[in-house]
């Protein structure tokens, strides 16, 4: 139950929505599927005075643009993303990642834009602070960090847990951002600040309008893995995305990208390891060791760093094997 | 002639249509005109003195109709246990001091939730913080912060702090036993904090009207709730009516009186309006009662052939802030230890230790899973050390029919030996055991293992209100109305009672309507929380039907000019065996009864109490006295798969072979088995209430991970039938609703060992622990 009063508007277009957000300032929140915002309002992580609902705006179906890239409306429901034939055929990794989100009940409500802009999570932060953890933490405007009391002031190690963001980063997606002054385009990776206190680079009245995913090259391979405790419903313990392109010999890697989610303040990439994969015949076991050592997974939701690193190592190797086999046309 | 038409059949549930169509009324559906919303102010500290409370601002807020603290109560205490040794220990709201985070301090009734919440925020409380203690071993140390003084009987002999109660028992001479043993082993096992996971939250609606308190509350037994509410409100039982409502799961978590129930009642009495409290899921996770994590220190001695000669247990229960059921679980842990295997020399000590955690409740199995996990794990270790297989060591020690236990209980037709044999055969356990450890597969990181665990559970005991009554009222047309205090919380009580009455009176299921669980209109009932409802209330129902049947036969014999023993009942007719054309319908017989027996409309009464010769429950302190007259037995096997690179493990298949005496409704029995397998796998792999400094970290369904349907393992079961049901005779059914979490939990631990060689000494069986175990084994091998 949300135990305070707030205003609610339901504009007919994103333009009106951004205007409303702009008028109200930081106290307003965009409401899409609500699957992230509503629980957070319930525990009063956020207490907006105005909700600007976009439920009256019908998203356009995913479509292929003239340059071969695919345009996906940010209001696309995750269940529609899973089911869209175009996505299944052209971007199967995206469909798979979207399918791992929560449960069907959540996916029919949750939108792609909302999934990318979900708040970071922490067992302490996502609590109602009426008699539990009464003092607010740094991220809630206070003066402490409950799980990591030794952290520097205003450092928040809540983790960013999107299942889909690492896929779009790996695919070099671009975001079309609508603001009060019109639209701008950014690379998917530039949506994130890497700072858990303020994870997104969006301005207060800015809305992701569309996501553009460029076509993948020949001999492209991908692998996706989400570790969870119980499969369905769960956020990831660790999420691993690997994409790569093989040379014509079917052995040499031209380039590769590894993106991790759920283990950092934003998506993480082991860039040095990625560089070592360029124009090389890959040894998945060695790369997995290097990548898992290069990043520093944040402990979260009861999982300690050592366990996460080991889980990431094992699944980086397995995911890489699978990406290579995919590029070789074996799967 | 024992051809049963209803009993022993998987007839459909009486409550099924209401539940699947959404017509079923749960407490949350009860809406009364003018109803107020109640909310509770809770302690933000694990341990603090309350210096002052200022309610003035809250009371002055528009829309607030009532605000109460302990000062608005009569100061009458209550407790889960209320005996001379363990008198009531809990106030209905905190007085002067709080001893756990979330403890109830004040309550508000207001016109809506937002106003109620605003009022809570206007209550000013000044606290003086006191040092808390959360670890039971630390709490026991002399000089640790005192939550409550140690029980005087314990303090006479021992200097431990914070001991809420202790159970001491044993027989034989353990020193001698260990001296005679060929092999002795000592281990320590720990279990973790889990919660019930009832889907329906705690809800209470109370309405004080015309000097009568009407209550709808989510519970496991209306009569226990009435007794406790009436007591703390200082009202006669006749002034408190607990109404029936459907219950959306309880699993032990809705037995005792909760503060919100008192608050709803008291606020309704003060405001004259109905008041409703609904606990949020966050409140349930952070402030309500969970199960009980036990530390089990276990020493066992065996002969070379595996015969148990001595066992010594020391159990430490992290029992939370009040006595709760903490002292019960340390008693029960003794029972779950001694029931399945013969142990000629036993020494048992169980301590219930106060800590600044929330108070504890029973949770399905009430100590049995924790104890069986320890004993069954160690038994496998011992079997391996002395070179016999897991089945042989169990068969060597398992109870046989008609054995008398040291507490003078008798196991009667115990089917344990057969359960073990069938489980072993169906799983092919001995052949499979050790396979992946001896020759690990080379092409995969998956290792398979198999394990067994056994358990025994009591089937009803003597706890207030001790007995159940049932009334069968025949209608003029031959159909029947049944009045029973039994509560159906999903286990199928109403269905089973209807089956029994249909059988005894030769009625169709649809001829019978049940009025249940209403303290004003139905007879008293033991409630659905001591594993005895089908046995105790079921026998009361059978007797009530027999009583009605006897009346019908007397009248019919008169009308038909035959003796009653020539008559039989069939499909609402009474028929002469010697002349089947001589028959009367129930309608005719009842009309004749009214006409010729001064208006007797044929009402049958039945009552039942388990252990009729025993005055009361055995001593919680010494275990003296009889515990139960029906022991259920089971052997369960688990087949698991473990990924030795990631440590991830899953239950692939569960087998439950059990002796529940006689299944009145095999479909409902199967439902109980599958539910318990699912609960055990949650216990084993997923669920944990995580706390830090008395605060709960995971207060949502998202972060407290109960298994979903996708996690459910294949669950096979087999009955070992040891009892029979005969019309007109009392019968013996055995527990099936909570004992089966235990064997399977132990079996999973043993199967993980079998797959990997990693012996786990604590639950849950997380990938971290399994990986750690694998690394240690690797180091050992190098």
């Amino acid at each position: 139950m949300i135990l305070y009063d707030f205003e609610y508007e339901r504009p007919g277009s994103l333009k009106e929505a951004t205007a409303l957000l702009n008028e109200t300032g930081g106290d307003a929140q965009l409401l899409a599927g609500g699957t992230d915002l509503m629980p957070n309002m319930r525990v009063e992580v956020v207490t907006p005075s105005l909700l600007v609902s976009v439920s009256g705006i019908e998203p356009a179906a995913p479509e292929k643009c003239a340059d071969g890239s695919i345009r996906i409306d940010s209001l696309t429901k995750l269940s529609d993303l899973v089911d869209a034939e175009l996505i299944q055929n052209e971007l199967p990794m995206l469909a798979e990642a979207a399918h791992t989100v929560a449960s069907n009940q959540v996916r029919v409500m949750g939108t792609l834009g909302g999934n990318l802009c979900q708040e970071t999570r922490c067992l302490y932060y996502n609590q109602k602070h009426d008699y539990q953890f009464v003092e607010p933490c740094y991220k809630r405007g206070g003066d402490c960090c409950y799980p990591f009391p030794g952290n520097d002031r205003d450092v928040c190690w809540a983790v960013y847990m999107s299942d889909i963001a690492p896929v779009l980063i790996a695919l070099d997606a671009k975001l079309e951002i609508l603001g009060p002054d019109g639209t701008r385009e950014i690379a998917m990776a530039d949506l994130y600040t890497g700072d858990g206190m303020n994870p997104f680079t969006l301005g207060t009245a800015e809305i992701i309008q569309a996501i553009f995913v460029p076509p993948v090259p020949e001999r492209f391979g991908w692998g996706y893995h989400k570790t969870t405790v119980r499969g369905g419903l769960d956020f990831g313990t660790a999420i691993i995305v690997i994409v790569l392109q093989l040379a014509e010999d079917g052995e040499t890697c031209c380039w590769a990208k590894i993106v991790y989610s759920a283990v950092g303040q934003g998506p993480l990439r082991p860039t040095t390891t990625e560089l070592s994969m360029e124009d090389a015949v890959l040894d998945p076991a060695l790369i997995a060791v290097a990548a898992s050592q290069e990043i520093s997974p944040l402990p979260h939701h009861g999982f300690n760093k050592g366990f996460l690193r080991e889980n990431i190592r094992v699944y980086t190797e397995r995911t890489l094997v699978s990406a290579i086999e995919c590029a070789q046309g074996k799967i | 002639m024992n051809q049963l038409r209803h009993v022993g059949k998987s007839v459909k549930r009486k409550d099924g249509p209401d539940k699947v169509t959404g017509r079923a009324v749960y407490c949350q559906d009860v809406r009364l005109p003018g109803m107020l919303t109640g909310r509770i102010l809770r302690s933000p500290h694990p341990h603090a003195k309350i210096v002052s409370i200022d309610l003035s601002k809250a009371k002055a807020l528009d829309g607030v109709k009532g605000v109460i603290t302990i000062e608005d109560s009569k100061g009458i205490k209550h407790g889960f246990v209320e005996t001379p040794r363990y008198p009531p220990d809990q106030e209905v709201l905190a007085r002067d001091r709080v001893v756990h985070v979330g403890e109830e301090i004040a309550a508000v009734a207001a016109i809506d939730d937002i106003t109620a919440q605003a009022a809570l925020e206007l209550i000013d409380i000044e606290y003086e913080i006191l040092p808390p203690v959360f670890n039971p071993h630390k709490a026991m140390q002399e000089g640790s912060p005192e939550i409550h003084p140690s029980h005087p009987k314990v303090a006479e002999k021992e200097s431990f702090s914070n001991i809420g109660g202790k159970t001491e028992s044993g027989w034989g001479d353990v020193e001698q036993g260990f001296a005679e043993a060929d092999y002795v082993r000592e281990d320590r096992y720990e279990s973790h904090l889990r919660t019930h996971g009832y889907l329906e939250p705690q809800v209470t609606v109370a309405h004080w009207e015309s000097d009568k308190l009407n209550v709808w509350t989510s519970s496991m037994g209306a009569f226990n709730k009435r007794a406790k509410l009436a007591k703390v409100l200082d009202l006669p039982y006749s002034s408190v009516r607990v109404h029936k409502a459907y219950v959306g799961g309880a699993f032990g978590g809705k037995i005792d009186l909760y503060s919100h129930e008192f608050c709803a009642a008291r606020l309704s009495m003060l405001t004259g309006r109905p008041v409703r409290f609904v606990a949020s899921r966050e409140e349930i996770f952070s402030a309500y009662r969970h199960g009980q994590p036990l530390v089990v220190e276990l020493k066992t001695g065996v002969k070379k052939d595996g015969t148990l000669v001595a066992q010594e247990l020391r159990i430490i229960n992290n029992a939370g802030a009040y006595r709760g059921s903490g002292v019960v679980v340390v008693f029960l842990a003794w029972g779950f230890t001694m029931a399945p295997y013969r142990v000629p020399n036993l020494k048992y000590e169980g301590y219930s230790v106060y800590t600044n955690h929330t108070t504890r409740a029973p949770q399905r199995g009430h100590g049995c899973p924790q104890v069986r996990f320890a004993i069954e794990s160690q038994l496998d270790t011992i079997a391996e050390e002395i070179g016999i297989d897991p089945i042989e060591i169990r068969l060597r020690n398992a109870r046989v029919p008609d054995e008398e236990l040291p507490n003078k209980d008798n196991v009667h037709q115990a089917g344990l030996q057969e359960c073990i044999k069938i489980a072993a055969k169906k799983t092919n356990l001995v052949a499979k055991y050790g396979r992946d450890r001896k020759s690990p597969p080379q092409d995969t990181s998956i290792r398979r293992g198999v394990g067994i665990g056994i358990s025994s559970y009591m089937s009803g005991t003597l706890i207030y209100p001790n007995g159940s009554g049932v009334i069968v009222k025949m209608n003029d047309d031959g159909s029947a109305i049944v009045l029973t205090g039994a509560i159906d919380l999903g286990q199928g009580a109403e269905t089973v009672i209807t089956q029994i009455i249909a059988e005894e009176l030769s009625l169709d299921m649809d001829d019978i309507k049940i009025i249940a669980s209403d303290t004003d209109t139905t007879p008293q009932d033991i409630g659905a929380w001591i594993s005895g409802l089908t046995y105790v209330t079921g026998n009361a129902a059978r007797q009530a039907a027999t009583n009605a049947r006897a009346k019908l036969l007397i009248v019919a014999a008169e009308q038909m000019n035959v003796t009653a023993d020539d008559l039989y009942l069939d499909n609402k007719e009474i028929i002469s065996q010697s002349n089947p054309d001589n028959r009367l319908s129930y309608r005719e017989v009842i009309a004749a009864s009214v006409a010729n027996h001064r208006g007797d409309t044929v009402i049958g009464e039945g009552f039942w109490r388990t252990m009729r010769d025993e005055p009361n429950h055995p001593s919680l302190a010494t275990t003296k006295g009889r515990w139960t007259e029906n022991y259920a037995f089971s052997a369960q096997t688990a087949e698991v798969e473990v990924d030795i690179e990631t440590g991830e493990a899953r239950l692939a298949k569960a087998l439950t072979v059990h002796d529940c005496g006689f299944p009145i409704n095999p479909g409902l029995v199967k439902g109980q088995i599958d539910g318990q397998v699912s609960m055990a796998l949650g216990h084993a792999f997923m669920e944990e209430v995580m706390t830090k400094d008395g605060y709960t970290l995971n207060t949502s369904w998202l972060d407290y991970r109960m298994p979903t349907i996708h996690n459910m393992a294949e669950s096979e079961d087999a009955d070992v039938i040891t009892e029979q049901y005969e019309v007109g005779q009392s019968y013996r059914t055995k527990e099936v609703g909570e004992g089966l979490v235990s064997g399977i939990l132990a079996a999973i631990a043993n199967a993980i060992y079998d797959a990997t060689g990693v012996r786990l000494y604590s639950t849950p069986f997380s990938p971290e622990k399994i990986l750690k175990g694998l690394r240690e084994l690797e180091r050992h091998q190098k």
Side-chain angles (χ1 to χ4, degrees):
Chain A
M1 193 180 297
I2 294 169
L3 285 171
Y4 71 95
D5 276 325
F6 54 87
E7 299 296 319
Y8 176 85
E9 295 282 351
R10 194 163 175 261
S13 70
L14 283 187
K15 222 172 206 163
E16 287 171 58
T18 184
L20 274 166
L21 291 171
N22 199 33
E23 279 165 31
T24 319
D27 218 15
Q29 283 265 352
L30 191 74
L31 171 67
T35 57
D36 189 50
L37 183 59
M38 288 293 152
N40 277 343
M41 284 177 69
R42 219 155 53 78
V43 296
E44 295 174 15
V45 161
V46 282
T47 51
S49 60
L50 170 67
L51 288 186
V52 180
S53 167
V54 291
S55 61
I57 305 166
E58 192 60 33
E63 60 176 350
K64 204 164 200 171
C65 306
D67 65 352
S69 64
I70 290 171
R71 179 191 187 277
I72 307 169
D73 197 309
S74 71
L75 298 183
T76 305
K77 300 285 186 194
L78 297 180
S79 54
D80 291 335
L81 198 60
V82 174
D83 294 339
E85 227 169 280
L86 181 66
I87 304 296
Q88 285 175 359
N89 293 337
E90 307 265 337
L91 301 168
M93 177 167 56
L94 182 59
E96 181 174 322
H99 188 252
T100 70
V101 176
S103 66
N104 196 48
Q105 290 92 330
V106 171
R107 292 192 294 270
V108 296
M109 290 302 294
T111 63
L112 177 56
N115 184 278
L116 302 182
C117 294
Q118 64 182 268
E119 254 302 347
T120 55
R121 306 185 64 81
C122 151
L123 286 175
Y124 298 77
Y125 176 62
N126 295 110
Q127 290 259 8
K128 185 149 178 157
H129 281 32
D130 50 359
Y131 59 90
Q132 289 250 93
F133 311 109
V134 181
E135 298 299 323
C137 64
Y138 295 137
K139 183 147 175 161
R140 291 176 85 133
D143 205 21
C144 66
C145 176
Y146 287 101
F148 308 106
N151 264 4
D152 287 344
R153 210 189 146 73
D154 289 340
V155 168
C156 174
W157 280 1
V159 292
Y160 176 72
M161 306 187 86
S162 168
D163 300 317
I164 301 176
V167 169
L168 293 176
I169 291 171
L171 291 172
D172 273 336
K174 300 266 185 297
L175 302 180
E176 185 180 85
I177 312 270
L178 177 70
D181 306 323
T183 59
R184 65 185 177 105
E185 198 178 86
I186 61 168
M188 177 64 204
D190 294 336
L191 179 62
Y192 303 100
T193 61
D195 172 5
M197 291 288 285
N198 287 298
F200 306 101
T201 55
L202 293 180
T204 43
E206 286 193 318
I207 302 170
I208 300 175
Q209 185 160 267
I211 295 96
F212 292 89
V213 186
V216 298
E218 284 180 304
R219 297 179 303 281
F220 171 84
W222 62 274
Y224 180 88
H225 177 78
K226 174 179 174 181
T227 294
T228 62
V229 173
R230 57 177 170 173
L233 297 180
D234 285 353
F235 279 98
T237 304
I239 297 158
I240 295 152
V241 173
I242 301 179
V243 296
L244 51 78
Q245 187 185 17
L246 291 184
E248 279 179 16
D249 65 3
E251 293 291 336
T252 312
C253 173
C254 305
W255 56 264
K257 284 184 199 153
I258 303 177
V259 192
Y260 298 114
S261 188
V263 288
Q265 296 166 68
L268 300 179
R269 283 177 68 178
T271 46
T272 307
T273 309
E274 284 178 357
L275 273 176
S276 77
M277 296 163 82
E278 282 181 16
D279 302 318
V281 176
L282 304 178
D283 180 334
L286 287 179
I287 286 161
V289 171
S292 63
Q293 290 301 324
E294 185 179 342
I295 61 153
S296 178
L298 287 179
H300 69 92
H301 296 88
F303 305 107
N304 67 51
K305 194 173 194 140
F307 170 73
L308 289 171
R309 208 189 276 286
E310 186 59 7
N311 184 273
I312 287 167
R313 182 189 68 76
V314 174
Y315 279 110
T316 297
E317 180 179 342
R318 292 181 185 181
T319 308
L320 180 55
V321 168
S322 153
I324 293 168
E325 287 177 355
C326 173
Q328 290 168 336
K330 289 182 188 163
I331 47 173
Chain B
M1 193 170 65
N2 192 31
Q3 280 188 332
L4 300 174
R5 284 175 33 193
H6 302 289
V7 165
K9 309 278 188 282
S10 297
V11 303
K12 73 174 189 199
R13 305 174 66 110
K14 288 289 263 189
D15 54 341
D18 272 358
K19 284 183 175 168
V20 298
T21 56
R23 285 195 302 263
V25 173
Y26 294 84
C27 289
Q28 218 163 346
D29 301 317
V30 175
R31 302 291 162 108
L32 302 175
M35 191 161 75
L36 300 173
T37 288
R39 288 188 74 76
I40 287 180
L41 182 76
R42 299 178 177 282
S43 166
H45 304 296
H47 198 185
K49 262 189 199 156
I50 299 172
V51 178
S52 65
I53 303 180
D54 181 356
L55 304 175
S56 55
K57 281 184 271 176
K59 283 183 170 168
L61 184 68
D62 254 8
V64 172
K65 302 297 179 187
V67 185
I68 57 170
T69 64
I70 187 68
E71 298 305 328
D72 299 283
S73 78
K74 294 218 174 179
I76 300 169
K77 290 183 181 178
H78 67 100
F80 182 89
V81 180
E82 296 186 357
T83 63
R85 188 185 181 93
Y86 296 128
D89 67 327
Q90 257 195 283
E91 300 271 17
V92 288
L93 286 163
R95 185 192 295 280
D96 305 336
R97 197 165 64 110
V98 285
V99 283
H100 69 84
V101 170
E103 184 167 357
E104 302 85 355
I105 299 170
V108 169
I111 51 167
D112 58 35
D113 288 296
I114 290 181
T115 308
Q117 179 62 25
L120 290 189
E121 288 164 16
L122 290 172
I123 297 176
D124 285 327
I125 301 187
E126 194 187 329
Y127 297 98
E128 181 189 324
I129 307 295
L130 298 170
V133 60
F134 305 106
N135 177 302
H137 296 284
K138 281 191 186 149
M140 286 172 82
Q141 283 168 14
E142 268 184 279
S144 75
E146 184 177 79
I147 300 162
H148 306 291
S150 276
H151 193 280
K153 293 276 186 194
V154 179
E156 279 172 16
K157 297 182 202 156
E158 300 175 71
S159 57
F160 295 127
S161 300
N162 291 309
I163 305 298
K166 182 181 177 186
T167 300
E168 255 182 306
S169 184
W171 41 78
D173 180 342
V174 282
E175 297 306 319
Q176 182 73 20
F178 286 125
E180 286 169 11
D182 295 319
Y183 179 81
V184 178
R185 197 181 159 87
E186 281 184 77
D187 295 291
R188 182 176 188 275
Y189 300 86
E190 256 184 275
S191 51
H192 67 292
L193 186 61
R194 288 169 55 244
T195 197
H196 311 84
Y198 39 79
L199 295 185
E200 181 206 18
Q202 299 267 2
V203 183
T204 300
V205 177
H207 188 199
W208 176 256
E209 192 179 36
S210 308
D211 287 343
K212 177 119 188 175
L213 183 69
N214 289 281
V215 180
W216 292 259
T217 194
S218 186
S219 89
M220 300 173 72
F223 291 88
N224 188 48
K225 290 282 188 189
R226 178 182 72 172
K228 295 207 161 156
L229 253 182
K231 180 185 157 168
V232 295
L233 292 164
D234 197 20
L235 292 171
Y237 286 13
S238 54
S239 294
V240 178
R241 179 178 183 182
V242 179
H243 291 255
K244 174 185 171 158
Y246 277 112
V247 181
F251 310 108
K254 293 177 179 173
I255 300 169
D256 203 2
L257 180 72
Y258 282 85
S259 178
H260 73 265
E261 293 173 314
F262 165 81
C263 292
R266 193 73 193 113
L267 282 164
S268 181
M269 291 168 79
L270 290 171
T271 61
R273 290 170 66 168
V275 178
R276 184 171 83 135
F277 279 76
V278 180
S280 70
R281 192 52 63 178
E282 288 84 359
E283 283 179 293
I284 290 169
F285 276 115
S286 60
Y288 278 75
R289 301 179 181 196
H290 305 309
Q292 309 189 36
L294 303 183
V295 174
V296 181
E297 293 166 7
L298 177 62
K299 182 177 176 185
T300 303
V302 296
K303 294 302 242 184
K304 273 185 202 136
D305 66 356
T307 304
L308 290 165
V309 285
Q311 207 156 42
E312 188 173 340
L313 286 92
R314 187 168 184 263
I315 287 185
I316 308 291
N317 178 19
N318 183 342
Y322 291 98
R323 194 178 287 130
S325 83
V327 293
V328 181
V329 86
V330 295
F331 160 82
L332 290 172
W334 155 82
F336 302 132
T337 297
M338 64 93 191
Y341 300 127
R342 272 180 308 282
V343 183
N345 303 291
L346 179 85
K347 184 177 176 208
Y348 176 91
E349 282 184 308
Y351 291 90
S352 182
V353 184
Y354 294 121
T355 60
N356 293 108
H357 285 286
T358 56
T359 312
R360 308 302 194 199
Q363 180 177 10
R364 204 178 198 177
H366 211 175
C368 193
Q370 298 92 314
V371 166
R372 296 318 307 170
F373 160 59
I375 293 176
E376 297 294 310
S377 294
Q378 193 190 52
L379 205 61
D380 264 23
T381 309
I382 290 172
E384 188 171 44
E385 297 282 330
I386 62 175
I388 64 176
D389 70 58
I391 302 302
E392 191 183 341
I393 196 165
R394 285 174 173 81
L395 287 175
R396 176 101 46 221
N397 296 290
R399 300 282 180 193
V400 296
D402 298 321
E403 257 190 74
E404 188 180 271
L405 306 183
N407 67 340
K408 306 293 179 208
D409 279 347
N410 194 293
V411 299
H412 302 296
Q413 302 302 312
L416 180 56
Q417 292 271 344
E418 208 179 336
C419 288
I420 297 170
K421 285 175 197 161
I422 294 172
K425 190 169 172 208
K426 277 182 173 280
T427 318
N428 198 13
L429 190 136
V430 176
K432 281 186 190 166
Y433 194 71
R435 199 180 274 175
D436 275 14
R437 273 177 293 148
K438 278 183 213 113
S439 44
Q442 296 305 307
D443 55 343
T444 171
S445 60
I446 301 294
R447 298 289 178 270
R448 292 186 169 76
V450 61
I452 187 168
I454 74 166
S455 73
S456 174
Y457 213 86
M458 56 100 174
S459 319
T461 187
L462 294 173
I463 299 176
Y464 177 84
N466 294 312
S468 294
V470 172
I471 294 171
V472 176
K473 295 197 299 171
M474 297 305 296
N475 297 315
D476 291 345
D477 67 348
S479 64
I481 299 291
V482 177
L483 307 182
T484 168
I487 192 162
D488 194 329
L489 27 91
Q491 87 281 38
E494 292 185 15
T495 307
V496 164
I497 290 165
T498 306
Q499 281 177 269
I500 290 167
I501 287 167
E503 192 67 59
E504 297 286 334
L505 285 171
S506 198
L507 294 170
D508 285 338
M509 290 291 286
D510 291 339
D511 289 325
I512 299 165
K513 292 289 178 231
I514 284 206
I515 295 174
S517 193
D518 178 325
T519 56
D520 269 19
T521 61
T522 69
Q524 195 148 285
D525 188 85
I526 57 168
W529 52 282
I530 50 168
S531 287
L533 204 146
T534 302
Y535 173 60
V536 176
T537 310
N539 264 307
R542 180 200 52 73
Q543 209 179 62
T546 306
N547 186 223
R549 171 196 174 95
K551 290 182 178 178
L552 289 172
L553 287 172
I554 289 168
V555 177
E558 289 166 7
Q559 297 294 307
M560 292 161 73
N561 287 318
V562 293
T563 57
D565 55 14
D566 180 45
L567 297 175
Y568 68 96
L569 279 58
D570 185 31
N571 193 25
K572 283 192 276 182
E573 284 190 315
I574 299 182
I575 303 164
S576 162
Q577 286 177 49
S578 52
N579 174 15
D581 290 337
N582 187 11
R583 55 175 69 197
L584 284 176
S585 68
Y586 286 7
R587 185 191 289 272
E588 291 166 313
V589 176
I590 293 162
S593 173
V594 171
N596 303 329
H597 287 257
R598 294 197 73 166
D600 186 345
T601 53
V602 186
I603 296 172
E605 293 179 342
F607 312 95
W608 200 261
R609 180 186 191 270
T610 187
M611 295 185 296
R612 58 186 177 181
D613 298 328
E614 287 297 303
N616 43 40
H617 189 275
S619 160
L620 294 177
T622 65
T623 78
K624 282 203 177 69
R626 287 196 51 204
W627 183 30
T628 187
E629 57 189 13
N630 294 319
Y631 284 85
F633 293 95
S634 64
Q636 294 175 287
T637 61
E639 294 179 61
V640 303
E641 293 177 356
V642 184
D643 186 327
I644 54 163
E645 289 181 357
T646 65
E648 293 165 317
R650 71 176 197 100
L651 177 64
K653 188 175 175 188
L655 169 70
T656 300
V657 185
H658 69 106
D659 163 18
C660 72
F662 177 85
I664 303 279
N665 186 322
L668 292 176
V669 170
K670 172 71 174 153
Q672 288 293 331
I673 292 168
D674 292 350
Q676 287 170 93
V677 168
S678 143
M679 201 168 256
L681 84 86
H683 187 155
F685 298 119
M686 297 168 189
E687 297 173 35
E688 178 168 13
V689 178
M690 295 185 260
T691 66
K692 187 179 179 190
D693 302 337
Y695 298 93
T696 305
L697 301 183
N698 48 343
T699 57
S700 68
W701 290 124
L702 181 65
D703 294 315
Y704 183 82
R705 303 182 191 95
M706 278 184 16
T708 73
I709 190 70
H710 302 294
N711 304 117
M712 187 58 196
E714 184 186 343
S715 165
E716 190 191 339
D717 66 294
D719 283 314
V720 171
I721 309 273
T722 54
E723 300 286 343
Q724 286 304 319
Y725 184 101
E726 286 180 47
V727 171
Q729 304 288 315
S730 65
Y731 65 84
R732 202 185 273 289
T733 46
K734 305 178 187 175
E735 185 279 334
V736 78
E738 54 180 326
L740 302 173
V741 183
S742 310
I744 192 68
L745 177 71
I748 292 169
N750 285 336
I752 290 170
Y753 174 79
D754 184 45
T756 61
V758 174
R759 176 54 67 189
L760 294 166
Y761 292 92
S762 65
T763 58
F765 312 139
S766 66
E768 280 134 294
K769 285 184 202 163
I770 294 173
L771 274 185
K772 188 164 168 265
L774 285 162
R775 298 288 170 270
E776 275 165 21
L777 282 180
E778 281 165 19
R779 272 197 296 276
H780 209 65
Q781 275 156 10
K782 279 175 196 167

